[in-house]
Amino acid sequence: MSTVQGAGVVVTGAGGGIGAALARRFAAEGARVVVNDLDEGRIAALAEEIGAVAVAGDASRIVDAARDALDGTVDVYCANAGLASPGDVFADEEVWAAAWDVNVMAHVRAARALLPDWLERGSGRFVSTASAAGLLTMIGAAPYSVTKHGVVAFAEWLALTYGHRGVKVHAICPQGVRTDMLTAAGSAGELVLAPSAIEPEDVADALFAAMAEDRFLVLPHPEVAGYYRARAKDTDHWLGSMNHLQQKWEETGA
């Protein structure tokens, strides 16, 4: 894509899975890429592979270092780092707090750091890796579902607030993707997500298609659009269907 050639791109959570796939795709398209993760070894190897710069550390705090590594300009920021955070309403407070901090506040902090430059020059692109759970929900994962709804809500707010000032926003909302996070979803993931799981590279393809069309929602599983419409059209029926799925999961010994 001509809009990516030479662009300064940051990908958080790039140690594997979707983040690594996004970084590889941006690099292949000619972007100058910074990869970030808490696992310094994994991103060092990826950076060497694709000719990127590795900036390790907390995804909430690396915008300034990434900007310096890109000679002062971040054009695309992929807020991809996230926590699977399974559990129900009784999950520990620490689980809820960590999910909120990583899945939502890391995006807010990044936007705070990026927006002054983007608004001054009239351009910038913010990519939030959310989940189909952020449009729908996910059984067995209350902290994850709630915070992924928050991710989508924040991305929507960015888009409607700054779209006329040149800031483009995308929310990636896949169902199952063959990553460590799918494994972490346990038996619920096996029941709901694994049968239709796709590769991380498919998510990168979907993002690039959405960027080419300036679409907000990135749906690597196109059927999610139908589920989302059904949820809005008849919420009670949709909730009943999901409750039946919950019961099926419980019957399997969850």
Side-chain angles (χ1 to χ4, degrees), residues 22-96:
L22 293 177
R24 289 188 177 101
R25 180 61 183 272
F26 275 107
E29 297 287 345
R32 299 173 296 114
V33 180
V34 165
V35 290
N36 159 260
D37 200 275
L38 289 173
D39 189 327
E40 187 171 0
R42 294 180 75 176
I43 56 168
L46 177 62
E48 183 175 358
E49 173 195 335
I50 65 175
V53 177
V55 177
D58 183 344
S60 293
R61 314 289 181 186
I62 56 91
V63 170
D64 288 342
R67 185 185 286 121
D68 290 343
L70 293 169
D71 299 323
T73 302
V74 175
D75 299 294
V76 181
Y77 188 90
C78 297
N80 173 77
L83 292 177
S85 303
D88 58 17
V89 66
F90 299 105
D92 291 344
E93 290 282 326
E94 291 79 6
V95 173
W96 282 94

Side-chain angles (χ1 to χ4, degrees), residues 17 27-28 30 32 42 68 76 90 108-109 112 143 154 162 166 169 172 174 191 199 204 210 212 224 230-231 233 238:
R32 299 173 296 114
R42 294 180 75 176
D68 290 343
V76 181
F90 299 105
V108 175
R109 295 181 190 116
R112 285 176 183 158
F154 182 64
Y162 300 113
V169 184
I172 305 177
L191 175 65
E199 298 297 332
V224 169
R231 174 180 176 271
K233 183 178 181 180
W238 180 81

Side-chain angles (χ1 to χ4, degrees), residues 52-184:
V53 177
V55 177
D58 183 344
S60 293
R61 314 289 181 186
I62 56 91
V63 170
D64 288 342
R67 185 185 286 121
D68 290 343
L70 293 169
D71 299 323
T73 302
V74 175
D75 299 294
V76 181
Y77 188 90
C78 297
N80 173 77
L83 292 177
S85 303
D88 58 17
V89 66
F90 299 105
D92 291 344
E93 290 282 326
E94 291 79 6
V95 173
W96 282 94
W100 181 256
D101 191 66
V102 176
N103 291 349
V104 180
M105 290 308 300
H107 296 224
V108 175
R109 295 181 190 116
R112 285 176 183 158
L114 293 161
L115 280 168
D117 285 347
W118 285 359
L119 295 176
E120 182 177 355
R121 76 184 198 219
S123 67
R125 193 179 295 267
F126 196 93
V127 180
S128 291
T129 299
S131 167
L135 300 176
L136 306 168
T137 194
M138 178 58 189
I139 62 172
Y144 180 77
S145 296
V146 171
T147 55
K148 288 301 185 179
H149 273 270
V151 172
V152 174
F154 182 64
E156 288 176 338
W157 187 89
L158 286 178
L160 67 88
T161 303
Y162 300 113
H164 65 293
R165 300 182 65 180
V167 177
K168 299 181 184 298
V169 184
H170 307 279
I172 305 177
C173 298
Q175 294 191 102
V177 182
R178 295 186 184 98
T179 67
D180 292 343
M181 190 171 286
L182 178 58
T183 303

